[in-house]
Amino acid sequence: ETGVTQSPTHLIKTRGQQVTLRCSSQSGHNTVSWYQQALGQGPQFIFQYYREEENGRGNFPPRFSGLQFPNYSSELNVNALELDDSALYLCASSLRPVRENTEAFFGQGTRLTVV
Amino acid sequence: GENVEQHPSTLSVQEGDSAVIKCTYSDSASNYFPWYKQELGKRPQLIIDIRSNVGEKKDQRIAVTLNKTAKHFSLHITETQPEDSAVYFCAAPTRGADGLTFGKGTHLIIQP
């Protein structure tokens, strides 16, 4: 196991609602990235947090936002949920940002279903 | 941004044979290329990675090769076993965004 934990494991929400997903990074890691994985697809990069600051973002709208706390755990918030937001949400922690060529270790994911 | 293409989408091999999965990338500045294995319903697990200062890296039955000129890298699995059955993803750094861009995945099936 990687030491990266996510909660909850499963979640069902109604279209238009808001959701918060949580991630605890591996001990010693100060960087957390979030990914969305639709069924049968590869993970897509949402954003990355390094030492409590967002330092990179993929092609996702502003209703996807996040936080990183002083203990380096992180939250992903999604507002105004749409049906297409249904996916597995993965967080990955690493010792340093990806640009420094460091390994990223994934949590088990949160399966979000929007109905 | 980076664009990562992965082939094939499905690969079926006999147990004991070798399997090769190929990826190409678009950003010539990319210098880190990890491979992840994802079993059904589980998290992606890093199995091997390579940095641009080497052309090949091996770890037991798994190897990765990198051709920076052609901008492609490949995963090689020898003496395949049933537990190798999974979806494999290649990835490269997302230019300007500090995350990883993943390929669409290869479903590897090991036939007994």
Side-chain angles (χ1 to χ4, degrees):
Chain A
E1 297 303 313
T2 61
V4 182
T5 59
Q6 292 185 242
S7 63
T9 54
H10 296 83
L11 199 54
I12 300 175
K13 287 286 190 177
T14 303
R15 189 173 48 181
Q17 285 188 314
Q18 178 265 344
V19 69
T20 297
L21 311 181
R22 295 178 175 83
C23 172
S24 293
S25 59
Q26 189 165 314
S27 178
H29 288 189
N30 58 22
T31 303
V32 172
S33 304
W34 286 92
Y35 293 83
Q36 180 195 67
Q37 187 177 24
L39 206 58
Q41 300 293 317
Q44 282 199 290
F45 175 63
I46 302 174
F47 44 57
Q48 178 175 253
Y49 278 83
Y50 171 60
R51 294 185 173 178
E52 303 180 59
E53 298 283 333
E54 183 184 299
N55 75 332
R57 190 177 184 92
N59 193 24
F60 279 80
R63 61 189 185 85
F64 286 80
S65 63
L67 281 174
Q68 189 178 32
F69 300 99
N71 66 354
Y72 302 131
S73 65
S74 178
E75 288 182 352
L76 164 65
N77 299 292
V78 187
N79 292 323
L81 283 166
E82 301 176 0
L83 296 179
D84 284 349
D85 295 333
S86 296
L88 180 68
Y89 288 85
L90 295 159
C91 79
S93 80
S94 53
L95 274 172
R96 296 180 299 278
V98 170
R99 67 175 178 271
E100 297 185 29
N101 301 338
T102 183
E103 297 92 339
F105 298 95
F106 282 88
Q108 82 281 11
T110 293
R111 173 72 62 187
L112 173 65
T113 303
V114 182
V115 297
Chain B
E2 177 67 276
N3 183 38
V4 177
E5 300 281 344
Q6 183 173 347
H7 299 280
S9 56
T10 304
L11 179 59
S12 181
V13 302
Q14 290 293 124
E15 182 178 348
D17 286 352
S18 295
V20 181
I21 302 170
K22 298 181 180 181
C23 287
T24 60
Y25 60 98
S26 59
D27 184 1
S28 57
S30 288
N31 54 8
Y32 174 64
F33 307 94
W35 284 89
Y36 285 85
K37 174 184 180 182
Q38 189 174 29
E39 296 176 48
L40 192 63
K42 296 195 174 179
R43 72 186 79 199
Q45 287 190 296
L46 179 70
I47 55 171
I48 196 167
D49 57 15
I50 192 167
R51 292 171 175 79
S52 60
N53 57 342
V54 297
E56 183 175 6
K57 183 177 177 181
K58 283 185 180 179
D59 183 2
Q60 299 181 6
R61 297 186 296 109
I62 294 172
V64 56
T65 58
L66 171 65
N67 183 327
K68 286 215 72 176
T69 304
K71 291 190 282 187
H72 68 71
F73 56 113
S74 300
L75 177 71
H76 305 252
I77 306 174
T78 58
E79 301 171 20
T80 52
Q81 299 168 5
E83 54 265 35
D84 294 330
S85 293
V87 179
Y88 291 81
F89 294 98
C90 62
T94 305
R95 188 176 191 178
D98 217 6
L100 289 171
T101 296
F102 284 80
K104 291 187 183 297
T106 296
H107 186 192
L108 177 61
I109 301 165
I110 308 301
Q111 304 276 9

